Amino acid sequence: IGSDFYHGALFPIEDKLKINAFDWGGKDGFSEIMKAGGFDVVIGNPPYVQLQKFKGEIMQKAMEEAKFLSHNSMGDIYCLFYEKGINLLKNNAILGFITSNKWMRAGYGVNLRRYFIQNTNPLQLLDFIGNKIFTDATVDCNILILEKGPNKAKCMGYNFTEEISSSEDIGTIFRKKKIPLPNLSENNWIIRDLASQKLKKKMEQLGTPLKDWDIKIYRGIITGYNDAFIIDQAKRDELITADPKSAEIIKPMLRGRDIKAYHHQWAELYMITTFPALKIKIDNYPIIKKHLLGYGKDRLKQSGKTLQDGTKSRKATGNQWFESQDQIAYYKEFEKEKIIYREISQNLNATYLTSSTLVNNKLYLITGSHLNYLLAFLNSKIVNNILLKTANLTGGKGVGYLQYLTIPKLDLSNSTQKAQHDRMVELVDQMLTAQKQLHETQSPSEKALYQKEADGLDEQIDALVYKLYELTPAEIRIVEETR
């Protein structure tokens, strides 16, 4: 569908908006259908375009004047199509859309989730997590079927995390996967069976949200142009040989792919730390300046402009051309002991780091108290199999998610609880050592030995986590069988 049409399909006809609007009830539209109350069925795959990409005042004013209840400035245009589609239906008629499934979990989807609950009767929700419906698509999809009418709280959910077997009857598949979703809310559109939902609620009651712990959570560094600011060992040595002063602003760094549970593997990469918060004078580092200019000053400028060759400068900020994209006012946190965990991975994949090392924006870091104790939970089956998979991942797995992760907080003045805390820290320390040895040795026999030790420690840590959440054997089976 062309952009002119999908703008016009959404917004009312007003000449001052200068939009080629489509009049659904006009003579060139569907006047008889709209006079009869609307369509019987609306089916579609609306476009996926972030609303932030509509920069013009005309489009922003059109969205404001259309008064969509599902509108969120950080959202996507497909959210508005849901609401428009419902408005085009007659009462008790049906809408079925396939879209990105991000609205189910993302913060920008809260208005849409609320709209569905208050203005429609959700019937079926199919979530295709990790199962690509469109081979050329970069997003996971969902199919939602709604009725225009009062919410009867009888929606059925279906998770399709793997390809559907062509040899199995589709009706049988749906009967096996059917999960009632009677408690949908603006914060809960996660498809989990009732036993998992009950277990999640128990964990939330027994744990303390991380926002109430003595910790701080930060996202890794966004340079805006990694090719220029992230360098390998050879380039680092070259720059420092040419000017030893360059070493002052070149620091080791880790990427998301370098992190595993209880382990990191440094790829000998470094970051040029021209953070705005440091107020660096680039002329004091002439070799670094020359290196950056080699990528083109216009390309490094933070103006958001399209260049003559079709590429774009970095997004518009108030920062100077040689500085990183974000302020990084928290740069001193990288010098502290910290947990780092991955943004893009099925599990959190967290590890512990004592060295002064930077991380990119595919990682998050946690500083503060009781880090080794918390690390055990972040890598545990119960967090990754239950809490993570039933979460409303507002803003991904960043601060918005993690601050509400509930972990049992022990009273260290109580001798029994202090012993549990100390045992957990001891097991985590042993695991960190075992993982280091496992990844450093080249001997197959030693690898097998260390792997066996790590597996045993993992079981002990999970067992203690289960105990702290007061899980029954039946509840433990739910955790162990969930993938």
Side-chain angles (χ1 to χ4, degrees), residues 388-426:
L388 186 62
K389 288 183 173 61
T390 57
N392 172 27
L393 292 178
T394 302
K397 291 186 296 212
V399 180
Y401 162 66
L402 216 69
Q403 67 176 341
Y404 295 108
L405 187 65
T406 50
I407 291 177
K409 198 171 189 179
L410 300 181
D411 179 4
L412 299 186
S413 66
N414 179 295
S415 59
T416 300
Q417 293 189 30
K418 185 177 187 304
Q420 291 175 316
H421 173 275
D422 293 349
R423 178 56 177 160
M424 185 73 85
V425 171
E426 180 185 10

Short mmCIF file of all heavy atoms in Angstrom, two decimals, residues 388-426:
data_model
loop_
_atom_site.label_atom_id
_atom_site.label_comp_id
_atom_site.label_asym_id
_atom_site.label_seq_id
_atom_site.Cartn_x
_atom_site.Cartn_y
_atom_site.Cartn_z
N LEU A 388 11.03 -14.01 32.84
CA LEU A 388 11.38 -13.34 31.59
C LEU A 388 10.36 -13.60 30.50
O LEU A 388 10.00 -12.71 29.73
CB LEU A 388 12.77 -13.79 31.13
CG LEU A 388 13.35 -13.08 29.91
CD1 LEU A 388 13.54 -11.60 30.18
CD2 LEU A 388 14.67 -13.70 29.47
N LYS A 389 9.88 -14.82 30.41
CA LYS A 389 8.97 -15.19 29.33
C LYS A 389 7.52 -14.75 29.59
O LYS A 389 6.69 -14.83 28.70
CB LYS A 389 9.03 -16.70 29.09
CG LYS A 389 10.33 -17.13 28.43
CD LYS A 389 10.35 -18.62 28.14
CE LYS A 389 11.58 -19.02 27.33
NZ LYS A 389 12.84 -18.74 28.00
N THR A 390 7.23 -14.32 30.81
CA THR A 390 5.88 -13.83 31.09
C THR A 390 5.88 -12.32 31.34
O THR A 390 4.90 -11.76 31.80
CB THR A 390 5.28 -14.53 32.33
OG1 THR A 390 6.15 -14.32 33.45
CG2 THR A 390 5.12 -16.00 32.10
N ALA A 391 6.99 -11.68 31.01
CA ALA A 391 7.14 -10.26 31.33
C ALA A 391 6.55 -9.38 30.25
O ALA A 391 6.51 -9.74 29.09
CB ALA A 391 8.62 -9.93 31.51
N ASN A 392 6.12 -8.20 30.67
CA ASN A 392 5.81 -7.12 29.74
C ASN A 392 7.12 -6.37 29.51
O ASN A 392 7.52 -5.54 30.32
CB ASN A 392 4.76 -6.19 30.35
CG ASN A 392 4.55 -4.95 29.51
OD1 ASN A 392 4.77 -4.97 28.31
ND2 ASN A 392 4.13 -3.88 30.16
N LEU A 393 7.83 -6.70 28.43
CA LEU A 393 9.18 -6.20 28.23
C LEU A 393 9.15 -4.76 27.74
O LEU A 393 9.50 -4.45 26.60
CB LEU A 393 9.94 -7.10 27.26
CG LEU A 393 10.25 -8.50 27.81
CD1 LEU A 393 10.96 -9.33 26.78
CD2 LEU A 393 11.11 -8.40 29.07
N THR A 394 8.74 -3.87 28.62
CA THR A 394 8.74 -2.45 28.31
C THR A 394 10.18 -2.00 28.09
O THR A 394 11.00 -2.09 28.98
CB THR A 394 8.12 -1.65 29.46
OG1 THR A 394 6.81 -2.13 29.68
CG2 THR A 394 8.10 -0.18 29.14
N GLY A 395 10.46 -1.47 26.88
CA GLY A 395 11.81 -1.03 26.58
C GLY A 395 12.79 -2.17 26.50
O GLY A 395 13.97 -2.03 26.82
N GLY A 396 12.35 -3.35 26.04
CA GLY A 396 13.26 -4.49 25.96
C GLY A 396 13.56 -5.03 27.35
O GLY A 396 12.73 -5.00 28.25
N LYS A 397 14.81 -5.53 27.53
CA LYS A 397 15.20 -6.07 28.82
C LYS A 397 16.03 -5.06 29.61
O LYS A 397 16.91 -5.42 30.37
CB LYS A 397 15.97 -7.37 28.62
CG LYS A 397 15.09 -8.49 28.09
CD LYS A 397 15.80 -9.82 28.02
CE LYS A 397 16.93 -9.83 27.07
NZ LYS A 397 17.18 -11.12 26.42
N GLY A 398 15.74 -3.78 29.40
CA GLY A 398 16.49 -2.74 30.05
C GLY A 398 15.94 -2.39 31.41
O GLY A 398 15.34 -3.21 32.11
N VAL A 399 16.11 -1.14 31.79
CA VAL A 399 15.70 -0.68 33.11
C VAL A 399 14.21 -0.90 33.33
O VAL A 399 13.77 -1.32 34.40
CB VAL A 399 16.06 0.80 33.29
CG1 VAL A 399 15.64 1.30 34.67
CG2 VAL A 399 17.56 1.01 33.09
N GLY A 400 13.40 -0.64 32.29
CA GLY A 400 11.96 -0.77 32.42
C GLY A 400 11.52 -2.16 32.81
O GLY A 400 10.52 -2.34 33.50
N TYR A 401 12.26 -3.18 32.34
CA TYR A 401 11.93 -4.55 32.71
C TYR A 401 12.58 -4.92 34.04
O TYR A 401 11.93 -5.38 34.97
CB TYR A 401 12.37 -5.53 31.63
CG TYR A 401 12.45 -6.97 32.12
CD1 TYR A 401 11.30 -7.64 32.51
CD2 TYR A 401 13.68 -7.61 32.27
CE1 TYR A 401 11.35 -8.93 33.01
CE2 TYR A 401 13.74 -8.90 32.76
CZ TYR A 401 12.58 -9.56 33.13
OH TYR A 401 12.64 -10.83 33.62
N LEU A 402 13.89 -4.72 34.13
CA LEU A 402 14.64 -5.29 35.24
C LEU A 402 14.27 -4.66 36.58
O LEU A 402 14.34 -5.33 37.61
CB LEU A 402 16.15 -5.16 34.99
CG LEU A 402 16.95 -6.36 35.52
CD1 LEU A 402 16.64 -7.59 34.70
CD2 LEU A 402 18.43 -6.08 35.52
N GLN A 403 13.86 -3.40 36.60
CA GLN A 403 13.57 -2.77 37.88
C GLN A 403 12.37 -3.42 38.58
O GLN A 403 12.21 -3.30 39.79
CB GLN A 403 13.32 -1.28 37.69
CG GLN A 403 12.07 -0.93 36.91
CD GLN A 403 11.86 0.56 36.85
OE1 GLN A 403 12.42 1.32 37.65
NE2 GLN A 403 11.02 1.01 35.92
N TYR A 404 11.54 -4.13 37.80
CA TYR A 404 10.38 -4.81 38.39
C TYR A 404 10.59 -6.31 38.56
O TYR A 404 9.68 -7.02 38.97
CB TYR A 404 9.13 -4.53 37.56
CG TYR A 404 8.74 -3.08 37.58
CD1 TYR A 404 8.92 -2.26 36.47
CD2 TYR A 404 8.24 -2.50 38.74
CE1 TYR A 404 8.59 -0.91 36.51
CE2 TYR A 404 7.91 -1.16 38.80
CZ TYR A 404 8.08 -0.37 37.67
OH TYR A 404 7.76 0.97 37.73
N LEU A 405 11.79 -6.79 38.23
CA LEU A 405 12.11 -8.20 38.46
C LEU A 405 12.17 -8.44 39.96
O LEU A 405 12.86 -7.73 40.69
CB LEU A 405 13.45 -8.52 37.81
CG LEU A 405 13.88 -9.99 37.81
CD1 LEU A 405 12.93 -10.81 36.95
CD2 LEU A 405 15.30 -10.12 37.29
N THR A 406 11.43 -9.43 40.44
CA THR A 406 11.31 -9.65 41.89
C THR A 406 12.23 -10.78 42.35
O THR A 406 12.10 -11.92 41.91
CB THR A 406 9.86 -9.99 42.26
OG1 THR A 406 9.39 -11.04 41.41
CG2 THR A 406 8.97 -8.78 42.07
N ILE A 407 13.13 -10.46 43.25
CA ILE A 407 14.11 -11.42 43.77
C ILE A 407 14.04 -11.39 45.30
O ILE A 407 13.98 -10.30 45.90
CB ILE A 407 15.52 -11.06 43.27
CG1 ILE A 407 15.61 -11.33 41.77
CG2 ILE A 407 16.59 -11.85 44.02
CD1 ILE A 407 16.91 -10.95 41.12
N PRO A 408 14.05 -12.56 45.95
CA PRO A 408 13.98 -12.60 47.42
C PRO A 408 15.12 -11.83 48.07
O PRO A 408 16.29 -12.06 47.77
CB PRO A 408 14.06 -14.10 47.73
CG PRO A 408 13.57 -14.78 46.50
CD PRO A 408 14.04 -13.92 45.36
N LYS A 409 14.76 -10.91 48.93
CA LYS A 409 15.75 -10.10 49.63
C LYS A 409 15.91 -10.65 51.05
O LYS A 409 14.94 -10.66 51.83
CB LYS A 409 15.29 -8.64 49.67
CG LYS A 409 16.38 -7.64 49.99
CD LYS A 409 15.87 -6.21 49.78
CE LYS A 409 16.99 -5.20 49.87
NZ LYS A 409 16.49 -3.82 49.65
N LEU A 410 17.09 -11.10 51.38
CA LEU A 410 17.31 -11.78 52.65
C LEU A 410 17.72 -10.81 53.74
O LEU A 410 18.38 -9.80 53.49
CB LEU A 410 18.38 -12.86 52.48
CG LEU A 410 18.07 -13.95 51.45
CD1 LEU A 410 19.20 -14.97 51.37
CD2 LEU A 410 16.76 -14.65 51.77
N ASP A 411 17.32 -11.14 54.95
CA ASP A 411 17.68 -10.35 56.14
C ASP A 411 19.00 -10.91 56.68
O ASP A 411 19.03 -11.98 57.28
CB ASP A 411 16.56 -10.47 57.18
CG ASP A 411 16.88 -9.70 58.46
OD1 ASP A 411 17.93 -9.02 58.51
OD2 ASP A 411 16.09 -9.79 59.42
N LEU A 412 20.08 -10.17 56.45
CA LEU A 412 21.39 -10.69 56.83
C LEU A 412 21.64 -10.65 58.34
O LEU A 412 22.66 -11.17 58.81
CB LEU A 412 22.49 -9.91 56.10
CG LEU A 412 22.43 -9.99 54.56
CD1 LEU A 412 23.64 -9.32 53.94
CD2 LEU A 412 22.31 -11.44 54.09
N SER A 413 20.73 -10.04 59.08
CA SER A 413 20.83 -10.12 60.55
C SER A 413 20.25 -11.42 61.08
O SER A 413 20.45 -11.78 62.24
CB SER A 413 20.11 -8.93 61.18
OG SER A 413 18.71 -8.99 60.93
N ASN A 414 19.53 -12.13 60.20
CA ASN A 414 18.98 -13.44 60.55
C ASN A 414 20.01 -14.50 60.16
O ASN A 414 20.42 -14.59 58.99
CB ASN A 414 17.67 -13.66 59.79
CG ASN A 414 17.03 -15.00 60.06
OD1 ASN A 414 17.59 -16.03 59.72
ND2 ASN A 414 15.85 -14.98 60.65
N SER A 415 20.44 -15.32 61.10
CA SER A 415 21.55 -16.25 60.87
C SER A 415 21.23 -17.26 59.76
O SER A 415 22.09 -17.60 58.94
CB SER A 415 21.92 -16.99 62.16
OG SER A 415 20.80 -17.71 62.66
N THR A 416 19.97 -17.73 59.71
CA THR A 416 19.59 -18.70 58.69
C THR A 416 19.63 -18.07 57.30
O THR A 416 20.17 -18.64 56.35
CB THR A 416 18.18 -19.24 58.96
OG1 THR A 416 18.15 -19.88 60.24
CG2 THR A 416 17.76 -20.24 57.89
N GLN A 417 19.06 -16.87 57.18
CA GLN A 417 19.04 -16.21 55.88
C GLN A 417 20.43 -15.76 55.46
O GLN A 417 20.76 -15.79 54.27
CB GLN A 417 18.07 -15.02 55.93
CG GLN A 417 16.62 -15.44 56.09
CD GLN A 417 15.65 -14.29 55.93
OE1 GLN A 417 15.91 -13.34 55.21
NE2 GLN A 417 14.51 -14.38 56.60
N LYS A 418 21.26 -15.36 56.43
CA LYS A 418 22.63 -14.98 56.08
C LYS A 418 23.40 -16.19 55.55
O LYS A 418 24.19 -16.08 54.59
CB LYS A 418 23.37 -14.39 57.29
CG LYS A 418 24.77 -13.88 56.94
CD LYS A 418 25.46 -13.25 58.13
CE LYS A 418 26.76 -12.60 57.71
NZ LYS A 418 27.69 -13.52 57.02
N ALA A 419 23.15 -17.35 56.14
CA ALA A 419 23.82 -18.57 55.67
C ALA A 419 23.38 -18.89 54.24
O ALA A 419 24.20 -19.31 53.40
CB ALA A 419 23.49 -19.73 56.61
N GLN A 420 22.10 -18.69 53.92
CA GLN A 420 21.62 -18.92 52.56
C GLN A 420 22.27 -17.94 51.57
O GLN A 420 22.69 -18.32 50.48
CB GLN A 420 20.10 -18.77 52.52
CG GLN A 420 19.34 -19.87 53.24
CD GLN A 420 17.85 -19.60 53.28
OE1 GLN A 420 17.40 -18.47 53.53
NE2 GLN A 420 17.06 -20.64 53.02
N HIS A 421 22.35 -16.68 51.99
CA HIS A 421 22.99 -15.66 51.16
C HIS A 421 24.45 -16.00 50.89
O HIS A 421 24.93 -15.98 49.75
CB HIS A 421 22.88 -14.29 51.84
CG HIS A 421 23.65 -13.20 51.16
ND1 HIS A 421 25.00 -12.98 51.40
CD2 HIS A 421 23.28 -12.27 50.24
CE1 HIS A 421 25.42 -11.97 50.67
NE2 HIS A 421 24.40 -11.52 49.95
N ASP A 422 25.18 -16.35 51.95
CA ASP A 422 26.61 -16.64 51.83
C ASP A 422 26.84 -17.88 50.98
O ASP A 422 27.81 -17.94 50.21
CB ASP A 422 27.24 -16.81 53.21
CG ASP A 422 27.26 -15.51 54.01
OD1 ASP A 422 26.99 -14.45 53.40
OD2 ASP A 422 27.53 -15.56 55.23
N ARG A 423 25.96 -18.87 51.10
CA ARG A 423 26.10 -20.09 50.29
C ARG A 423 25.88 -19.77 48.82
O ARG A 423 26.59 -20.29 47.96
CB ARG A 423 25.09 -21.14 50.77
CG ARG A 423 25.10 -22.44 49.96
CD ARG A 423 26.48 -23.07 49.93
NE ARG A 423 26.47 -24.34 49.21
CZ ARG A 423 27.57 -24.91 48.71
NH1 ARG A 423 28.78 -24.34 48.86
NH2 ARG A 423 27.48 -26.06 48.07
N MET A 424 24.92 -18.91 48.53
CA MET A 424 24.67 -18.53 47.15
C MET A 424 25.89 -17.82 46.56
O MET A 424 26.32 -18.10 45.43
CB MET A 424 23.45 -17.62 47.06
CG MET A 424 23.05 -17.27 45.63
SD MET A 424 22.31 -18.66 44.77
CE MET A 424 20.60 -18.47 45.30
N VAL A 425 26.45 -16.89 47.31
CA VAL A 425 27.64 -16.16 46.84
C VAL A 425 28.80 -17.11 46.62
O VAL A 425 29.55 -17.00 45.63
CB VAL A 425 28.01 -15.05 47.84
CG1 VAL A 425 29.35 -14.42 47.49
CG2 VAL A 425 26.92 -13.98 47.88
N GLU A 426 28.95 -18.07 47.52
CA GLU A 426 30.03 -19.07 47.38
C GLU A 426 29.86 -19.87 46.10
O GLU A 426 30.84 -20.10 45.35
CB GLU A 426 30.02 -19.99 48.60
CG GLU A 426 31.09 -21.07 48.56
CD GLU A 426 30.98 -22.05 49.73
OE1 GLU A 426 29.96 -22.00 50.47
OE2 GLU A 426 31.91 -22.86 49.90
#
